[in-house]
Amino acid sequence: DGGITQSPKYLFRKEGQNVTLSCEQNLNHDAMYWYRQDPGQGLRLIYYSQIVNDFQKGDIAEGYSVSREKKESFPLTVTSAQKNPTAFYLCASREQINQPQHFGDGTRLSIL
Amino acid sequence: AQRVTQPEKLLSVFKGAPVELKCNYSYSGSPELFWYVQYSRQRLQLLLRHISRESIKGFTADLNKGETSFHLKKPFAQEEDSAMYYCALSGRGSGNTGKLIFGQGTTLQVKP
């Protein structure tokens, strides 16, 4: 199921640096989501977008930013304001209300 | 508060033994419940959802609104069932954004 592609698979960030994680989907899904996965904490919602040019903050949006200029793309930027960025980041998309979410393979972000 | 709780971090059973992964939730409204599974080196994928009431890979889960639970069960565990399992909920009805609230996850280890 190559419908959602996340890149890169591994990413390293230096202190004070912003980094951008890519998420692309070819499923023609309207809604897209970014989650952060930490051991023992499950997945927590960072940002989501239900339609192009619109997005909302999730539960842990501080230190992150997103854009949704195209339906198929929902990049996540981890800014220098995010003090604990080391985590596994998962992107998901959903066709419409009441349909389940489909997930990408994830990006593992670490601090240099 | 909206919350999903999976009380067990790790559940270890022998092959052929019954399995029950517990999930309790707190939600003010009518939720939809899901079980997602993440096998080693694979992406997170939907295992089952309560509204479809189907059995996938021998797993079933019944929504108990009185006990606010959605436990995942399988009568005879197989080694290939070893994975991380997440319980999640989403709101239903108008205004539903489709965002998922995840539990902390339970690692199922099936020993030969």
Side-chain angles (χ1 to χ4, degrees):
Chain A
D1 158 290
I4 301 177
T5 302
Q6 289 187 242
S7 62
K9 201 167 184 176
Y10 300 96
L11 187 58
F12 297 91
R13 195 192 87 169
K14 295 180 182 178
E15 291 289 337
Q17 185 182 41
N18 293 353
V19 292
T20 298
L21 286 62
S22 170
C23 179
E24 303 276 330
Q25 53 101 358
N26 60 5
L27 301 168
N28 200 34
H29 286 176
D30 288 316
M32 297 186 74
Y33 306 81
W34 273 106
Y35 294 91
R36 172 180 168 138
Q37 187 178 25
D38 294 282
Q41 295 195 53
L43 281 74
R44 293 178 291 168
L45 182 66
I46 305 172
Y47 267 99
Y48 65 103
S49 168
Q50 296 188 81
I51 197 167
V52 176
N53 292 322
D54 186 49
F55 50 82
Q56 284 80 40
K57 292 182 179 180
D59 300 317
I60 54 166
E62 186 174 347
Y64 300 97
S65 66
V66 294
S67 63
R68 187 84 187 278
E69 297 175 2
K70 298 185 295 182
K71 188 176 186 177
E72 58 270 22
S73 179
F74 191 41
L76 173 74
T77 296
V78 184
T79 74
S80 57
Q82 173 48 246
K83 297 307 177 189
N84 184 25
T86 298
F88 192 57
Y89 291 86
L90 285 169
C91 179
S93 70
R94 174 180 56 82
E95 181 177 2
Q96 55 184 297
I97 296 289
N98 297 327
Q99 293 298 312
Q101 292 184 20
H102 297 260
F103 286 82
D105 285 326
T107 293
R108 187 166 299 280
L109 176 62
S110 303
I111 297 294
L112 276 179
Chain B
Q2 301 173 4
R3 186 184 301 126
V4 176
T5 303
Q6 293 179 249
E8 302 137 330
K9 273 190 176 180
L10 172 66
L11 183 63
S12 187
V13 302
F14 285 102
K15 177 183 171 182
V19 170
E20 183 179 53
L21 286 82
K22 291 185 168 46
C23 172
N24 290 92
Y25 67 91
S26 171
Y27 188 80
S28 55
S30 182
E32 181 171 6
L33 276 295
F34 304 85
W35 276 100
Y36 279 84
V37 61
Q38 192 170 31
Y39 299 103
S40 179
R41 288 186 284 277
Q42 292 187 31
R43 64 179 59 184
L44 195 65
Q45 56 187 283
L46 179 69
L47 181 62
L48 52 82
R49 54 195 298 202
H50 90 270
I51 62 170
S52 61
R53 301 182 69 83
E54 56 186 344
S55 171
I56 305 292
K57 299 185 179 183
F59 284 97
T60 59
D62 290 317
L63 180 61
N64 185 323
K65 292 184 179 179
E67 295 182 359
T68 59
S69 68
F70 188 56
H71 304 327
L72 184 68
K73 299 177 183 178
K74 184 169 184 177
F76 308 103
Q78 303 299 314
E79 288 180 70
E80 54 264 31
D81 295 329
S82 295
M84 173 72 87
Y85 291 80
Y86 289 99
C87 182
L89 73 77
S90 175
R92 297 173 70 187
S94 62
N96 175 22
T97 61
K99 57 181 182 178
L100 290 169
I101 300 169
F102 282 87
Q104 302 93 319
T106 298
T107 299
L108 175 63
Q109 186 182 74
V110 181
K111 297 178 284 188

